[in-house]
Amino acid sequence: MDVPTVRPRTEYRILGDSGIAVSSLCLGAMMFGKYGNPDHDECVAIVNRALDAGVNFIDTADQYSVGESEEIVGKAVRGRRDDVVIATKFTIPMSGRPNDRGHSRKWVIRAVEDSLRRLGTDYIDLYQAHRPDPNTGLDELLGTLSILIQQGKVRAIGSSTFPAHQIVEAQWVADRRGRERFLTEQPPYSLLARGIERDVLPVCEQYGLGVITWGPLAGGWLSGRYSRGMEQPSAPRNRNMFARYDLSRPENQRKFDTVEQIAEIARDANLTMAELSIGFALNHPAVTSVLIGPRTQAHLEDLLGVPEVRLDAETLNRLDTIAPPGFNATAADGGYQPPALADAGLRRRHGRP
């Protein structure tokens, strides 16, 4: 397909206290590979088009298409490595073996070597814990990541979808134990998932963490993909996230009311739903960069102009009325359920009435 050759204005921001300049849009590679777009050539073209448009930040994870996404990113940046800030993640199980997951030193040291090989590089700019691991202490994790920084395999470290208290605890552990500290957090943030405004974003501002938000379109709810009266969408590959789309749940039916009102605001502002939604996330002073995850080149082209969107106070005030600050449409939209909520056994005294 023909693509525009005009290079749009690109905004760069400093990623927390790291000193690294990144584009305000970060290209998410979750859809690259067999669980999204299996066409490697098209995925490589998406990366190169984004880089040509001024995007210099790419985020992937070892778990995306079980390593295939990292391999595609590695192909795409070959010959352009110095122009790109590459972020990847670990934690999520990579096989059925009990130790191929989590934050143990045994796994993280192996995981980083696997990611370096797939990416075809000798260093990772930002290495992130994909989710909290209740089985491994933060000192163990930060101690391991500190070794990787000292070895030159990793330049900076961060967390993803951590609750505020663990973000704070990680900073304390780093300070008291002389470890490298997390410099970034990657939380979900959209007009349907504003929960991080309560404490995660203020904590990140307090500790000088860069914030890379994911899910600005709320998994398609804010892109016009879902409409009232539609049939139940097929279950996502991640069964844990099915609650976000299960239309038999009243809370998801209520999303339609919110989405329809947001669509009206977008029309009044002469914006698409995607432009409004991504512009909203970029407007928060704590947010450094917003992840976009196109599956096709056409999806990418729809999003490349978004950094120029500036929402006025009236529009933002109307959005606050419809989707209040600190509001999550459903618990699943928050991206992570603490073990104390997910496991009933952790909140009951066994053997007592």
Side-chain angles (χ1 to χ4, degrees):
M1 63 177 289
D2 293 332
V3 296
T5 57
V6 177
R7 181 188 178 108
R9 177 175 59 82
T10 302
E11 180 182 2
Y12 296 96
R13 301 174 177 180
I14 300 301
L15 189 60
D17 290 338
S18 72
I20 300 172
V22 296
S23 48
S24 57
L25 287 185
C26 176
L27 180 65
M30 186 176 73
M31 299 305 296
F32 295 172
K34 61 184 176 182
Y35 294 146
N37 186 343
D39 186 332
H40 284 213
D41 289 340
E42 184 177 11
C43 292
V44 168
I46 290 170
V47 173
N48 282 298
R49 168 64 181 133
L51 296 180
D52 290 343
V55 174
N56 76 333
F57 196 13
I58 302 174
D59 178 85
T60 183
D62 56 5
Q63 185 256 351
Y64 296 161
S65 292
V66 198
E68 192 178 358
S69 172
E70 288 184 325
E71 292 174 356
I72 292 170
V73 170
K75 291 179 186 178
V77 303
R78 197 169 297 150
R80 308 182 71 168
R81 178 64 182 93
D82 290 341
D83 298 327
V84 185
V85 177
I86 294 179
T88 192
K89 301 183 286 292
F90 61 95
T91 304
I92 310 298
M94 289 292 287
S95 79
R97 293 188 292 268
N99 287 312
D100 290 359
R101 66 195 69 196
H103 296 167
S104 70
R105 183 163 301 184
K106 174 181 176 64
W107 172 243
V108 174
I109 288 177
R110 178 182 162 192
V112 75
E113 296 293 349
D114 289 345
S115 288
L116 288 168
R117 172 178 48 79
R118 287 188 291 259
L119 289 164
T121 184
D122 56 4
Y123 69 96
I124 294 165
D125 295 289
L126 176 62
Y127 201 42
Q128 305 157 100
H130 207 155
R131 291 293 188 276
D133 175 10
N135 298 315
T136 309
L138 283 168
D139 183 50
E140 176 76 2
L141 171 61
L142 292 175
T144 304
L145 294 174
S146 297
I147 291 171
L148 299 182
I149 290 177
Q150 292 160 10
Q151 292 175 338
K153 296 175 181 177
V154 170
R155 298 292 192 255
I157 57 175
S159 57
S160 176
T161 319
F162 272 43
H165 74 275
Q166 289 199 18
I167 296 173
V168 172
E169 184 184 358
Q171 298 295 310
W172 289 356
V173 168
D175 180 59
R176 294 171 182 176
R177 300 285 292 170
R179 310 301 194 190
E180 296 287 343
R181 71 184 186 95
F182 286 150
L183 294 180
T184 63
E185 161 60 15
Q186 186 181 131
Y189 188 44
S190 73
L191 286 162
L192 296 182
R194 299 185 63 172
I196 62 169
E197 293 173 339
R198 293 180 178 272
D199 45 25
V200 168
L201 291 182
V203 162
C204 289
E205 288 183 292
Q206 179 178 349
Y207 285 96
L209 272 63
V211 176
I212 312 143
T213 63
W214 60 266
L217 304 183
W221 281 94
L222 297 173
S223 68
R225 180 177 176 183
Y226 302 113
S227 59
R228 197 185 299 275
M230 66 179 290
E231 294 183 3
Q232 171 67 47
S234 58
R237 288 172 300 279
N238 184 347
R239 298 290 303 183
N240 294 329
M241 296 305 290
F242 180 63
R244 299 174 68 190
Y245 308 98
D246 184 355
L247 298 183
S248 69
R249 300 189 177 204
E251 61 268 32
N252 283 327
Q253 286 295 322
R254 288 194 291 270
K255 284 183 184 179
F256 289 122
D257 296 329
T258 303
V259 168
E260 287 166 2
Q261 293 177 77
I262 292 171
E264 181 179 347
I265 294 175
R267 287 192 295 270
D268 291 346
N270 198 29
L271 297 171
T272 66
M273 284 273 282
E275 289 170 340
L276 177 74
S277 300
I278 295 174
F280 162 80
L282 284 169
N283 180 80
H284 197 289
V287 173
T288 310
S289 190
V290 171
L291 274 162
I292 57 171
R295 186 175 57 84
T296 67
Q297 283 191 281
H299 292 163
L300 177 67
E301 295 303 329
D302 289 342
L303 299 171
L304 281 179
V306 170
E308 298 189 36
V309 172
R310 295 292 181 268
L311 303 181
D312 59 30
E314 179 183 356
T315 299
L316 291 168
N317 289 339
R318 290 179 65 190
L319 291 171
D320 283 350
T321 300
I322 294 166
F327 147 95
N328 278 346
T330 70
D333 287 301
Y336 172 72
Q337 281 278 57
L341 298 182
D343 183 354
L346 296 177
R347 56 181 184 270
R348 296 174 183 172
R349 293 184 182 275
H350 297 288
R352 296 187 180 183

